[in-house]
Amino acid sequence: MTSIGTGYDLSNSVFSPDGRNFQVEYAVKAVENGGTAVGIRCKDGVVLAVEKIITSKLLKPGANKRIATVDRHVGIVSAGLVPDGRHFVSRARDEASSWRGVYKGPIPTSALANRLGGYVQAYTLYSSVRPFGTTAIVGGWDSEAELAVDGQVGTGPASGSGGKVEGAKGGGPGLYMIEPSGLYWGYYGAATGKGRQAAKAELEKLDLSSGNLSLADGVKEAARIIYVAHEDSKDKEFELEMSWISSVDGPTKGRHEEVPKELREEAEKAARRALEGEDEDEEEKMEE
Amino acid sequence: MNHFPEAWGRPRDDVYGAYNPSYLQTTGPKAHTSSPAVTGTSVLGVKFNGGVVLATDNLASYGSLARFTDVKRLRIFGSNAIVGFGGDVSDMQYIDRLLESIDIRENYSHNGNMLNAKNLHTYLSKVFYKRRSEFNPLWNHVLVAGYDAEGEPFLSSADLLGTTFSAPHLATGFGAHLAVPILRRLFPEEMPLEEVSKEAAIDALKQCLKVLYYRDARSMDKYSIAVITKEGIEIKEDEVIEGQSWAFAERVKGYGAQTK
């Protein structure tokens, strides 16, 4: 960065002559140091996972969760500055609740991502604030069946007009990643944080765009990818935190929940085995 | 017709006399909160050994008109409690959305929604009391069913004034007059809860619903019934009162065909 020291990085929202916004780029650096977070959009749900680095032995295992629930059907995991992530989640909850206040139903994942993208972007515009030091992955499931309006007591006429379409199906899984600049895209598989390069390489191997990966396999892959991504910072201990959102007739009934302990431990065991297998392969190659 | 807007569309003074302008006043107290509009009638509840059963009919009346006939007045809160609503239906919808927002907020914590029926009842009664103190009451009388912190079956009522009342069997509205005596006869005070079976409780409520349908002109024969046990909540929302006999109606005197 030759432009450092030229003064264009001293205030937020200031462009450098070559069109860069340095404060935002520094915020991205903060994200690149955070524990790896991944999200996988499967055909029948979404998985979120994060590598939670243990910063002290005095912290209670399993406490201080890094994946948060927004409304019922959305989960958010972030990499980077934890307090910024918390504030981001708090804003997401407010947005989801105000959506319900207006529309009397759950916010679609895409709409939530849009509003959060707008919110994060606003923090790149003013000298009185700094950008978010987090990249957040937002995963959700929009109900495929027509939902009752909040507070609805009856079903209305059984036949005739009523705006109901027989057998209409919408909704499905949604996965978005929001960066410090406010940029967000929808993804099949998203990764951020320290081990993102390794994680992205693994995600690309899964052929997610064909839409064949099941949620159950997605959980195993997410665990494995976090373990793979952790290889570069092996000296630090970590906890794997995972959550999922299934379809309405899946294991979580369209809600965002923590992956059950047994399932997570099974996935972790498989992840460790897969890594050991890889090590052995490499050793064999060396011997050859 | 003249150029005074307040006279437009109104009866002519020279024909009908001067219009009473007190109806036009824009200041003064709000009056539309002082009576309910679309209402549900009685809610019935009985505790039994290991749980609680709640029942309401599926009617929402607009005055004496049977306006909506598929109204679900038993609302489930989280996975731990049921609220049965009598009174104003729009206020019920407001409270339902309020409870939904609480359930969503409770689920932010990783322990999930920890509020039990007793907590919920305390909260609701305080909401009612706050609103009546603002002279803007939520026009409902509710029964809350579920479990308390000790895991014992819980059944209690709260009304539009914030008054609370608890008993092993409860009924709101017309049911307070017609169902409670039946329930007291079936489950006398000295009868321990352990001797009340789930089936007996359900049968008692069905009997009460039938009597209410006979005598309460704001009731109907389609009803909802919800049973909460440790295994969870079982709700049926499309039941019909069975074994009706209107033979007694012929002997009812004082109105209709037989006025003497």
Side-chain angles (χ1 to χ4, degrees):
Chain A
M1 286 203 187
T2 48
S3 330
I4 294 176
T6 53
Y8 292 109
D9 64 346
L10 295 179
S11 178
N12 196 17
S13 115
V14 169
F15 275 114
S16 80
D18 42 354
R20 293 160 64 184
N21 191 333
F22 284 107
Q23 283 299 318
V24 171
E25 289 184 23
Y26 298 159
V28 173
K29 291 279 173 212
V31 174
E32 288 171 0
N33 289 326
T36 315
V38 301
I40 304 178
R41 183 180 175 278
C42 309
K43 66 175 172 189
D44 51 348
V46 181
V47 194
L48 301 176
V50 63
E51 165 208 33
K52 197 165 75 184
I53 301 287
I54 308 291
T55 51
S56 163
K57 287 209 184 312
L58 297 173
L59 290 168
K60 185 182 168 195
N64 305 310
K65 298 289 185 198
R66 287 278 302 282
I67 307 180
T69 305
V70 173
D71 206 296
R72 287 179 173 139
H73 62 298
V74 177
I76 293 185
V77 62
S78 59
L81 301 183
V82 176
D84 285 25
R86 291 250 172 82
H87 175 76
F88 182 80
V89 165
S90 155
R91 177 68 188 197
R93 287 170 175 169
D94 288 351
E95 289 288 359
S97 130
S98 87
W99 180 280
R100 266 192 199 271
V102 176
Y103 300 107
K104 313 292 181 228
I107 187 169
T109 316
S110 56
L112 182 66
N114 176 280
R115 288 185 173 201
L116 290 172
Y119 186 66
V120 170
Q121 193 267 343
Y123 279 74
T124 68
L125 295 175
Y126 305 97
S127 59
S128 53
V129 293
R130 62 169 177 77
F132 276 78
T134 53
T135 288
I137 300 174
V138 178
W141 181 274
D142 301 333
S143 173
E144 60 273 51
E146 193 182 326
L147 286 179
V149 175
D150 289 356
Q152 179 178 319
V153 291
T155 45
S159 59
S161 64
K164 285 171 193 159
V165 183
E166 201 63 41
K169 289 246 172 180
L175 184 70
Y176 296 84
M177 185 159 77
I178 302 161
E179 295 173 23
S181 60
L183 173 101
Y184 72 95
W185 298 114
Y187 289 86
Y188 290 115
T192 181
K194 201 167 211 163
R196 68 197 174 286
Q197 295 298 358
K200 276 183 199 165
E202 291 298 319
L203 283 169
E204 280 167 19
K205 287 183 204 162
L206 293 178
D207 185 29
L208 293 165
S209 57
S210 64
N212 289 324
L213 190 73
S214 71
L215 184 60
D217 291 338
V219 167
K220 287 189 189 125
E221 292 298 342
R224 190 181 62 77
I225 291 169
I226 292 293
Y227 270 80
V228 169
H230 183 70
E231 284 292 283
D232 293 333
S233 42
K234 251 183 166 174
D235 50 318
K236 288 177 191 139
E237 275 191 49
F238 81 104
E239 261 177 31
L240 173 66
E241 201 180 310
M242 267 203 297
S243 70
W244 59 353
I245 313 126
S246 80
S247 63
V248 178
D249 31 45
T252 78
K253 300 184 175 65
R255 295 170 77 107
H256 174 251
E257 287 171 3
E258 211 172 316
V259 173
K261 192 162 170 261
E262 306 76 50
L263 213 62
R264 194 197 72 224
E265 282 171 353
E266 193 187 313
E268 283 190 87
K269 211 182 280 175
R272 275 189 225 107
R273 230 181 297 128
L275 275 186
E276 279 162 21
E278 263 174 34
D279 289 348
E280 277 164 27
D281 290 348
E282 274 168 34
E283 275 163 36
E284 275 167 29
K285 272 179 204 160
M286 298 277 268
E287 279 163 25
E288 279 166 19
Chain B
M1 190 75 160
N2 57 33
H3 64 279
F4 297 117
E6 62 267 31
W8 298 348
R10 295 190 190 288
R12 284 166 56 182
D13 287 359
D14 54 337
V15 179
Y16 297 98
Y19 188 79
N20 179 356
S22 67
Y23 290 107
L24 292 173
Q25 70 183 27
T26 50
T27 54
K30 253 195 291 190
H32 68 270
T33 63
S34 55
S35 65
V38 178
T39 57
T41 182
S42 321
V43 187
L44 314 174
V46 173
K47 278 206 265 191
F48 59 86
N49 187 14
V52 193
V53 54
L54 230 52
T56 63
D57 68 18
N58 292 348
L59 180 68
S61 308
Y62 180 58
S64 59
L65 173 71
R67 180 66 183 83
F68 302 104
T69 53
D70 65 341
V71 171
K72 291 156 179 64
R73 297 197 284 128
L74 296 178
R75 318 296 290 183
I76 293 169
F77 175 69
S79 55
N80 315 309
I82 319 167
V83 188
F85 286 88
D88 193 275
V89 171
S90 62
D91 285 349
M92 166 179 106
Q93 292 180 304
Y94 167 79
I95 294 172
D96 192 42
R97 286 195 283 262
L98 178 70
L99 296 184
E100 186 157 331
S101 76
I102 291 168
D103 180 55
I104 289 170
R105 278 209 301 279
E106 284 296 310
N107 276 303
Y108 292 161
S109 105
H110 287 263
N111 304 318
N113 187 344
M114 306 277 279
L115 294 178
N116 60 38
K118 195 176 180 197
N119 301 141
L120 177 65
H121 175 258
T122 307
Y123 175 76
L124 272 179
S125 69
K126 292 189 178 207
V127 170
F128 281 128
Y129 181 69
K130 176 180 179 280
R131 289 291 295 265
R132 81 106 215 195
S133 301
E134 291 168 352
F135 292 96
N136 185 18
L138 290 163
W139 215 278
N140 297 103
H141 195 163
V142 302
L143 296 189
V144 183
Y147 293 92
D148 62 15
E150 281 74 45
E152 295 295 321
F154 176 85
L155 174 66
S156 196
S157 72
D159 71 4
L160 73 170
L161 303 175
T163 316
T164 61
F165 182 71
S166 220
H169 38 259
L170 284 171
T172 74
F174 228 105
H177 303 95
L178 292 182
V180 166
I182 299 172
L183 294 170
R184 284 189 182 157
R185 198 181 64 228
L186 289 171
F187 311 114
E189 205 174 343
E190 55 279 7
M191 188 176 179
L193 195 59
E194 288 70 38
E195 286 176 22
V196 182
S197 72
K198 177 172 135 186
E199 291 68 32
I202 292 172
D203 285 347
L205 284 196
K206 286 182 180 172
Q207 194 184 328
C208 291
L209 283 164
K210 198 197 293 183
V211 170
L212 282 165
Y213 181 49
Y214 286 152
R215 317 232 79 129
D216 177 1
R218 305 289 166 267
S219 70
M220 74 180 298
D221 56 351
K222 292 198 184 58
Y223 67 94
S224 304
I225 190 160
V227 183
I228 182 163
T229 56
K230 291 277 174 180
E231 280 78 55
I233 296 168
E234 195 192 335
I235 186 162
K236 291 186 217 150
E237 291 179 316
D238 205 14
E239 301 290 284
V240 179
I241 294 174
E242 284 165 0
Q244 292 175 39
S245 166
W246 288 86
F248 73 92
E250 280 182 34
R251 279 173 281 119
V252 175
K253 288 184 180 174
Y255 64 94
Q258 298 172 23
T259 48
K260 279 180 192 163

